[in-house]
Amino acid sequence: MSNTATAVSKPRKGFWENMKARKGQRVLVIVLFMIIPLTLLAVFTYIPFFEMIRFSFYNMKYGGQQGT
């Protein structure tokens, strides 16, 4: 005699059904509220940092006479 139990799988909900549920709406609000700070962080911190690194490889003269 075996004492193994059979697992009954529940049907999975679709994406829109999850978004209509309270937990899905909570996740959606968290993600939407995080998009703005992460976008601002990238625009004002990471992009200028990588541009600064890129510009550091240019060989430019910033002062002195230009014709020599």
Side-chain angles (χ1 to χ4, degrees), residues 22-37:
R22 184 170 179 87
K23 187 174 182 181
Q25 289 177 355
R26 183 174 178 224
V27 169
L28 182 65
V29 168
I30 290 171
V31 169
L32 290 177
F33 273 91
M34 286 305 297
I35 287 174
I36 294 172

Side-chain angles (χ1 to χ4, degrees), residues 15-67:
F15 176 75
W16 293 112
E17 291 173 356
N18 282 334
M19 286 299 116
K20 289 180 183 178
R22 184 170 179 87
K23 187 174 182 181
Q25 289 177 355
R26 183 174 178 224
V27 169
L28 182 65
V29 168
I30 290 171
V31 169
L32 290 177
F33 273 91
M34 286 305 297
I35 287 174
I36 294 172
L38 291 175
T39 303
L40 292 173
L41 182 68
V43 167
F44 293 110
T45 303
Y46 297 136
I47 294 173
F49 175 73
F50 290 117
E51 288 294 316
M52 182 179 59
I53 290 174
R54 189 176 67 126
F55 288 148
S56 72
F57 290 105
Y58 290 157
N59 188 11
M60 302 175 98
K61 290 185 178 181
Y62 294 107
Q65 295 179 350
Q66 296 293 330

